[in-house]
Amino acid sequence: MVRSTSSRIPSVDEILKTPPAQQAVERFGRSRAVHAIRHATAIVRREIGAGAALVPGAEAIAADALLWLETDARPNAQPVFNLTGTVLHTNLGRAILAEAAIDAAMIAMREAMALEFDLAQGKRGERDSLVRSLLCELTGAEDATVVNNNAAAVLLALNTLAKSKEAIVSRGELIEIGGAFRMPEIMARAGTRLIEVGTTNRTHEKDYAAAINSKTGLILKVHTSNYRIEGFTKSVSGKAVSTLAHAKNVPLLNDLGSGTLIDLARYGLTHEQTVAEAVAEGADLVTFSGDKLLGGPQAGFIVGRRDLIARLNRNPMKRALRIDKIRLAAIEATLRLYRDPDRLAERLPTLRMVARPLTEIEATATRLKPAVATAVGPGFVADVIACTSQIGSGSLPSEVLPSAGIALRATDTRGKGRALNALATALRALDQPVIGRIENDALILDLRCLEHEAAFVRNLATLSPEERR
Ligand SMILES: *Cc1c(COP(=O)(O)O)cnc(C)c1O
């Protein structure tokens, strides 16, 4: 950059006359341009105060201001390449939506829609009716409702059925999931008294039976989404708990967490109880997430008995937990895909990535290795490796998916930790940040979730070696 030797800092008016400043005004508006110029001038003043001998000219200051504006204009909601190996990564936004859902959401954003409007009658309708019949069809439930997320679904169900009453839960199911969702705390907020039964590893039918009394609001079963208790264990099946609950006339709420609408065994995964199976075995209400295995936008579904759903809908909390038209449109489109299970894995990115054949991931790794090696430079060795992905977000926690990726190791083993961290930082600073994982002295890029190879290679080309010092 050209630095003049004049000792005077150019005025804002002078700077505004230069081409980069004109460009800044054109692109960002006059007031933002002036703001940025003042900011750039303040930095120069500080540098002079700190003993800098050279004062930059008007054009150089304007160029700095323009760069600052350009950097600042990058959206905070930035797309990234998720190469962590976790398909449903909560910190990276969980499910990627199907094209059909994206189209539906786009229309909902652009147009007025019959959200709470009965087109046949020409009068006020209910927003749940956009998805109710699809949810009932896919789960076999009598009725259904939708709220902001599954945490909200559990909160609403507990508050409606067990406020100022007791909720019975096995000690083996008192889960905490990420982001401070702890079942005992949710219960307290719902105004429910938690009655723990059994022990961490063993709960029997008689434990539930002994806890039921006139103050019991419901029995809660929780899918132990993110851990497994192994060894000397005993839990009571949903079928047995539901038989007991019905004999005592107490509702059973089954929080499935991820919840899946199809048999995952189709894709070579462990069979996970489907929502329909949970309904069929007698749960009065079943709650599950929209953006976990289901592969839709963030949402919480509650399906089950019509009389209980009606009570949930009358709870004023429902209004505070409702979802918007954009997501409702996306949910409807996502659910419709489930009507054709044979083509679901093609159309639903979550399933497509979970079910992606290993040979295909390996081929991707082999194809991309040269480009990655070139981009990271001679400081690192790139190897195609076998690795394991996981579904994430508490879906099939014990399931590991054999995958393939590229491992990057520092050539110079002294200071390798620092070099790897610097590389990870540089990859996160790319136009589209690349997020991998560091494991055994290597930065691993798991390629299961990479679908846009050409864009990935173009993006890598902007990796500048200087950033890695
Ligand atoms: C993930 C999960 C929740 C919370 O669901 P969100 O959609 O993230 O709010 C609740 N219960 C269980 C068992 C879960 O796995």
Side-chain angles (χ1 to χ4, degrees):
M1 205 171 283
V2 186
R3 302 271 162 178
S4 92
T5 47
S6 149
S7 61
R8 188 184 65 85
I9 300 175
S11 71
V12 171
D13 281 338
E14 267 173 83
I15 299 170
L16 270 171
K17 290 194 188 95
T18 64
Q22 288 300 306
Q23 222 194 94
V25 171
E26 180 67 28
R27 287 172 55 194
F28 301 98
R30 196 185 149 83
S31 77
R32 284 292 289 160
V34 169
H35 177 70
I37 289 168
R38 292 218 169 95
H39 175 81
T41 327
I43 292 172
V44 171
R45 202 166 295 119
R46 240 189 347 261
E47 281 170 0
I48 293 171
L54 296 183
V55 179
E59 182 143 359
I61 296 176
D64 284 348
L66 179 59
L67 187 66
W68 185 75
L69 284 170
E70 279 169 346
T71 310
D72 181 64
R74 268 171 85 157
N76 294 330
Q78 232 185 321
V80 303
F81 285 104
N82 171 13
L83 305 190
T84 59
T86 301
V87 178
L88 296 168
H89 198 300
T90 298
N91 307 134
L92 301 180
R94 289 193 185 161
I96 291 171
L97 300 203
E99 286 306 319
I102 295 166
D103 292 346
M106 207 109 82
I107 292 167
M109 281 191 275
R110 222 173 249 139
E111 312 279 348
M113 63 183 285
L115 178 64
E116 293 181 354
F117 188 74
D118 183 332
L119 286 169
Q121 308 290 326
K123 53 180 200 205
R124 199 198 149 95
E126 259 185 80
R127 73 175 58 201
D128 280 351
S129 47
L130 263 59
V131 292
R132 177 183 285 120
S133 61
L134 271 166
L135 281 168
C136 292
E137 175 190 316
L138 295 166
T139 64
E142 281 176 10
D143 204 351
T145 184
V146 196
V147 287
N148 180 55
N149 57 12
N150 188 36
V154 174
L155 178 69
L156 179 65
L158 289 172
N159 180 265
T160 308
L161 303 183
K163 183 165 177 278
S164 308
K165 288 185 165 181
E166 297 178 351
I168 300 170
V169 192
S170 159
R171 287 196 171 86
E173 298 175 1
L174 285 172
I175 62 160
E176 169 180 319
I177 49 182
F181 179 90
R182 287 178 159 191
M183 205 38 101
E185 288 167 17
I186 292 287
M187 289 200 153
R189 293 289 167 146
T192 302
R193 207 167 136 233
L194 165 64
I195 304 295
E196 301 176 26
V197 298
T199 59
T200 305
N201 56 330
R202 289 173 72 83
T203 300
H204 305 267
E205 214 172 309
K206 63 176 193 282
D207 297 324
Y208 284 103
I212 298 176
N213 62 45
S214 60
K215 297 189 290 291
T216 306
L218 59 80
I219 299 178
L220 173 63
K221 258 198 93 65
V222 186
H223 182 65
T224 51
S225 303
N226 45 12
Y227 65 96
R228 282 275 178 275
I229 297 176
E230 283 170 17
F232 184 53
T233 64
K234 164 106 178 62
S235 65
V236 188
S237 72
K239 179 106 200 95
V241 182
S242 86
T243 305
L244 177 70
H246 296 160
K248 303 276 187 176
N249 205 17
V250 171
L252 169 65
L253 167 63
N254 190 347
D255 175 21
L256 281 184
S258 186
T260 173
L261 296 173
I262 41 151
D263 182 3
L264 295 171
R266 283 178 83 106
Y267 306 103
L269 303 170
T270 310
H271 174 80
E272 172 100 328
Q273 185 181 47
T274 64
V275 179
E277 285 165 353
V279 169
E281 74 177 11
D284 298 284
L285 290 178
V286 179
T287 58
F288 55 104
S289 281
D291 57 353
K292 292 187 181 173
L293 267 175
L294 197 140
Q298 181 187 300
F301 300 107
I302 315 171
V303 302
R305 258 168 56 189
R306 187 171 291 124
D307 60 322
L308 299 182
I309 297 285
R311 281 174 62 191
L312 300 184
N313 284 331
R314 286 196 299 271
N315 186 335
M317 238 185 212
K318 169 78 194 295
R319 172 65 178 76
L321 302 174
R322 78 181 187 187
I323 64 170
D324 61 281
K325 62 170 183 170
I326 306 165
R327 281 192 285 158
L328 265 172
I331 290 165
E332 183 192 350
T334 306
L335 292 175
R336 283 185 189 280
L337 298 179
Y338 279 88
R339 285 178 157 174
D340 184 0
D342 295 338
R343 273 186 286 178
L344 192 60
E346 255 168 69
R347 296 167 166 175
L348 200 67
T350 300
L351 267 189
R352 186 163 71 227
M353 288 170 185
V354 166
R356 196 165 170 203
L358 177 59
T359 48
E360 197 186 304
I361 310 173
E362 284 167 346
T364 305
T366 307
R367 263 194 313 273
L368 289 178
K369 191 189 109 167
V372 173
T374 306
V376 298
F380 297 89
V381 183
D383 290 302
V384 171
I385 54 145
C387 59
T388 55
S389 326
Q390 56 182 6
I391 301 177
S393 288
S395 312
L396 301 184
S398 316
E399 191 99 7
V400 289
L401 310 172
S403 187
I406 295 173
L408 297 166
R409 290 189 183 78
T411 320
D412 185 353
T413 50
R414 288 165 302 146
K416 61 190 172 193
R418 226 193 46 192
L420 273 186
N421 280 326
L423 179 62
T425 305
L427 288 170
R428 287 197 308 272
L430 287 171
D431 283 347
Q432 179 160 349
V434 173
I435 322 282
R437 63 177 197 261
I438 291 182
E439 207 174 85
N440 302 330
D441 293 329
L443 177 64
I444 296 178
L445 307 177
D446 184 325
L447 297 169
R448 172 176 298 276
C449 298
L450 181 67
E451 294 202 317
H452 306 295
E453 279 180 44
F456 177 74
V457 171
R458 271 197 308 278
N459 180 59
L460 263 191
T462 63
L463 188 71
S464 71
E466 295 89 82
E467 282 173 55
R468 270 170 285 134
R469 299 251 165 78

